[in-house]
Amino acid sequence: MNRDTVIGFVLIALVLIGFSWWSQPSQEEIEAYKRQQDSIAAVQQQKEAQKQEAAAKKQAEADSVAQNDTTTLFYHALSGQSSQVVLKNGKVELTLDTKGGTLTKAVIKDFEDKDGNKDVTLYDTDDQQMNFLLSGKQDNIVTQELYFTPSNQTDSTVTMTAQAGNGGSIVLDYQLGPDHLLHFSLTAKGMSGIFAPTYKEMDIEWNGHSRQQEKGFYFENRYTSLFYKEANDGSTDNLSETSDKTETIEEQLDWVAFRNQFFSLALVSKDNFKGGSTLSSTQDEKNSGYLKQFNARLRTAFDPTGKKPSEFEMFIGPNDFRLIQRVEKQSQFGKDLDLEQLVNLGWWIFRLINRWFTLYVFEWLASLGLSMGIVLILITLLLKTITFPMVKKQYMSSAKMRVLKPKFEEATKQYDKPEDQMKKQQAMMQLYSQYGVSPLSGCLPMLVQMPIWIAMFWFVPNAIQLRGQSFLWMEDLATYDPIVSWGSHIWGIGDHLSLSCLLFCGSNILYSWFTMRQQKDQMVGQQAEQMKMMQWMMYLMPVMFFFMFNDYSSGLNFYYFISLLFSSIIMYVLRKTTDDNKLLAILEARYRENKNNPKKQSGLAARLEAMQKQAEEMQRQRQRK
C-alpha cells in the first residue's frame, strides 16, 4: 500500500467523521423524536391488545360452541375418571389416556437417555396430544373432551369406546406390533344420521413437544425437525431446523413425523392426508428441556356409516436405517412408505454415497464388534485407500508444474507488461502442450473426493450406533467432548471447548500448510504474488471451522481429524519419495518429442491463440480508425 493510498483512506475517514458530526440531530430534535416514537408505540400496543382480546373472545366462543355441541350428543362421555392404559413389547412401552383415548407417553427401551436412565422417554404427559374433530349437521365431536372406556385389553391391544346419547359410539382400536409399529383405527358406529351425506373427511390436530434427548442442545436441534412425505411423487421434505416455520402443503401426504436427531414419532394414514395440511415448527430455548414445538393440522378420509374405519399407523422408535426398513415391512397398508428417509443421509448425491457405500461398510465393520472409534478410523483408511490413485495423480500433476517452474519463468519473462498477459498465457499453454502437462489435471481428482468428504458430514451425526459410545477421551461420540466448560454462553463459541474440534482444526492447518507449499512451488510470476493472499485465506479456514464445529459431535470432528491427518501424511510421503530430477528428465524427453509437432497443441492453447489473434486484429482496426 503506497503513500497516496494511505492519504486517500485518511481523507475519506475524515470526511465521513465530519459529515456524521455535522448531520447529528440537536437535543431538541432527539426529544421530539422520542415523544413521537412513544406515542406511536402506545397506539400500537393498544391495537395489539384489542386484537388479542378479540382473538381470545372468538376462541372462547368457538370452544364454547364445540363443548355445547359435543355435550348434546356425548353428555355421558363428558365426565369420568382419567386413567392410563399401557401397551408394551420388548421394544416400546406406550401409555394411552382414557381422557381423549390417545397416546400420551412413549418410552423406547434399551436406549439410555442423557441422564443415565436405561430407557428413553420420547414423549410424556402433555408433551404429545392427538385430537380427532368430526363435524356433524348439528353437533361437533372433539375426542379430547371425551372419556373413553377401555375393553379387550392385553399387553398389545385395547379398544377405547366413547358412548353417545343416541346409542352410537366413537371407537378407537389399538394394536401394537412386535416391534416399533402401532396400528390403530377410528370408527363412528351407529352415528350416520348426525353427519351430512357429503361429509367424507375428518380433521386431526396433532401436537408434539420434542424433548431434548442429548447433551448438546444446539447440535441436536440442528437435526430435529417436522418431516413429511408427499404421496404422489414420493418426495420427502421437512420444515426449517433453524427457525420458526409454518407451511401449508397442498399435495396429499403419506405420513408426517416429529423427528429428533436419533428418534422419531411418525403418523401414517392408510388413505393419505388430504391436501391443505398445515404444519408448523417453533423453536424452544436452551435449558428448557425441549427443542421444538410441532403442530400438524391434517385431514383424512372418514366413513360416516361406520362400515370402513379410518386407519392409521404410528412408528415410534430410533432412526436406524435397517430397523426402519424392517418395521416398514410390518405395515398393513401395502404402500411404499419410505420411512427410512427419517435417517437424513444428505442431499441426493451424498445420500447415494451413504446409502450404497458408507452404510454397508459401516454396518460390516460394526458387526465385527469393534469400538465405534476404531470403525471410524477404518472407514477413513478405506476411503483413503480407494482415493489414493486420484490423490497421487493430483500430486504428480502439481509436482510436474513444480519442476517445470524455472522453465516457464524463463520462457515468459519477456511478457511482464500488462498488455502482454495474453501472449504470456498463450506461451505457457504452448509449453504445457509440449511438455504434456495440464494445470487443471490435478483439480478433477480433488473434486471427486469432495462428495465423499461431505457425505460423511451427513452420515456421522445421523448414525445412531455412535450414540452413547465412548472412545479414548470422548465419552459420547454423538455429542461434543469438552475439555473446558463454563456456565455462560459466549457467542460463536458456546459454553465449552471441544478437544476433537481443536484437533480437527489443527490437522486442517497442517494439511493447508502442505497444500499451500505445494501450490506455491508451482506458481509463476504474478500467480506467486496472488498466492500470498490465498495462503492467508486457507489458514483462516480452520479458525472458521472451529466456530462452526465446536458444538458438533466428537465423532464427526474425530473423523475429520483422522482424515486430514492421513492426508497430510500421504502428502509428506509422496513429496519425500518423488525424484524431481528423474521427473524433469521424463518431461524434457516428452518436450523434445513434441516440440516440432503443432498437432500436440491442446484445445485450450488453441483457443487462447485464436483469442489473441482476434484481440490483435481488433486493436489494429481501432488504430486504423
Side-chain angles (χ1 to χ4, degrees), residues 51-338:
K51 185 186 297 184
Q52 292 178 357
E53 182 180 354
K57 183 178 179 181
K58 183 177 180 181
Q59 184 62 43
E61 291 175 352
D63 293 342
S64 176
V65 169
Q67 184 174 0
N68 290 336
D69 288 342
T70 304
T71 302
T72 304
L73 187 62
F74 283 91
Y75 56 89
H76 290 301
L78 284 171
S79 60
Q81 186 78 25
S82 176
S83 61
Q84 283 71 47
V85 176
V86 177
L87 303 179
K88 59 184 178 180
N89 57 26
K91 304 297 180 62
V92 296
E93 183 175 301
L94 310 178
T95 302
L96 309 172
D97 199 317
T98 56
K99 175 66 182 299
T102 54
L103 182 69
T104 58
K105 183 178 181 180
V107 176
I108 302 175
K109 297 181 180 181
D110 301 326
F111 285 91
E112 187 175 296
D113 69 7
K114 62 183 178 65
D115 298 320
N117 300 312
K118 67 183 184 68
D119 298 326
V120 165
T121 299
L122 188 58
Y123 289 94
D124 205 342
T125 306
D126 299 329
D127 290 345
Q128 196 268 157
Q129 301 88 31
M130 186 176 294
N131 192 12
F132 298 94
L133 306 151
L134 303 171
S135 299
K137 290 184 288 188
Q138 296 180 342
D139 300 324
N140 294 323
I141 303 170
V142 182
T143 59
Q144 277 295 316
E145 298 176 357
L146 306 178
Y147 287 87
F148 288 75
T149 302
S151 61
N152 303 324
Q153 184 177 350
T154 67
D155 281 346
S156 59
T157 61
V158 68
T159 299
M160 295 281 201
T161 305
Q163 201 67 41
N166 67 347
S169 61
I170 297 291
V171 179
L172 288 164
D173 274 309
Y174 291 91
Q175 180 182 359
L176 178 62
D179 227 315
H180 294 269
L181 198 65
L182 175 68
H183 182 92
F184 66 100
S185 63
L186 182 146
T187 309
K189 296 183 177 181
M191 300 177 60
S192 58
I194 72 166
F195 299 107
T198 57
Y199 185 70
K200 301 294 183 181
E201 296 177 353
M202 69 174 173
D203 293 308
I204 304 171
E205 186 175 59
W206 186 29
N207 302 308
H209 209 176
S210 182
R211 286 186 159 203
Q212 181 182 345
Q213 304 291 352
E214 314 304 324
K215 181 173 66 174
F217 172 83
Y218 294 108
F219 186 66
E220 184 183 5
N221 201 36
R222 289 186 186 98
Y223 294 91
T224 299
S225 181
L226 191 154
F227 276 68
Y228 58 91
K229 177 180 176 288
E230 296 179 3
N232 295 327
D233 60 4
S235 62
T236 304
D237 206 346
N238 63 285
L239 302 186
S240 171
E241 298 95 339
T242 57
S243 62
D244 295 349
K245 186 70 174 180
T246 299
E247 287 188 15
T248 299
I249 313 300
E250 299 302 333
E251 293 79 11
Q252 294 193 39
L253 304 178
D254 273 333
W255 51 261
V256 175
F258 300 162
R259 177 192 182 274
N260 278 51
Q261 182 182 3
F262 292 119
F263 304 97
S264 290
L265 186 64
L267 179 64
V268 184
S269 173
K270 181 177 182 179
D271 298 306
N272 300 338
F273 296 114
K274 308 304 178 182
S277 299
T278 302
L279 311 176
S280 68
S281 172
T282 306
Q283 301 279 332
D284 278 305
E285 297 293 331
K286 186 180 181 181
N287 299 322
S288 66
Y290 294 92
L291 301 168
K292 291 182 175 73
Q293 174 75 50
F294 297 132
N295 177 267
R297 292 299 302 263
L298 311 166
R299 182 174 296 173
T300 191
F302 171 73
D303 181 7
T305 66
K307 296 178 180 179
K308 179 183 177 182
S310 299
E311 295 186 72
F312 307 90
E313 287 177 337
M314 186 172 282
F315 170 77
I316 306 134
N319 299 329
D320 184 318
F321 194 91
R322 299 302 183 195
L323 181 145
I324 294 176
Q325 282 187 321
R326 184 177 73 248
V327 170
E328 186 173 325
K329 293 179 181 178
Q330 302 169 13
S331 172
Q332 302 177 22
F333 296 163
K335 299 198 296 185
D336 183 12
L337 298 177
D338 207 18

Side-chain angles (χ1 to χ4, degrees), residues 345-362:
L345 298 179
W347 303 322
W348 71 271
I349 186 170
F350 309 125
R351 186 174 183 84
L352 287 176
I353 295 172
N354 286 327
R355 171 67 179 85
W356 300 108
F357 174 77
T358 312
L359 190 62
Y360 282 99
V361 174
F362 183 83

Side-chain angles (χ1 to χ4, degrees), residues 387-404:
T387 58
F388 178 75
M390 293 180 287
V391 172
K392 185 176 181 180
K393 181 178 180 181
Q394 177 186 349
Y395 173 80
M396 292 307 298
S397 175
S398 300
K400 291 175 183 178
M401 301 297 293
R402 180 181 70 246
V403 299
L404 290 174

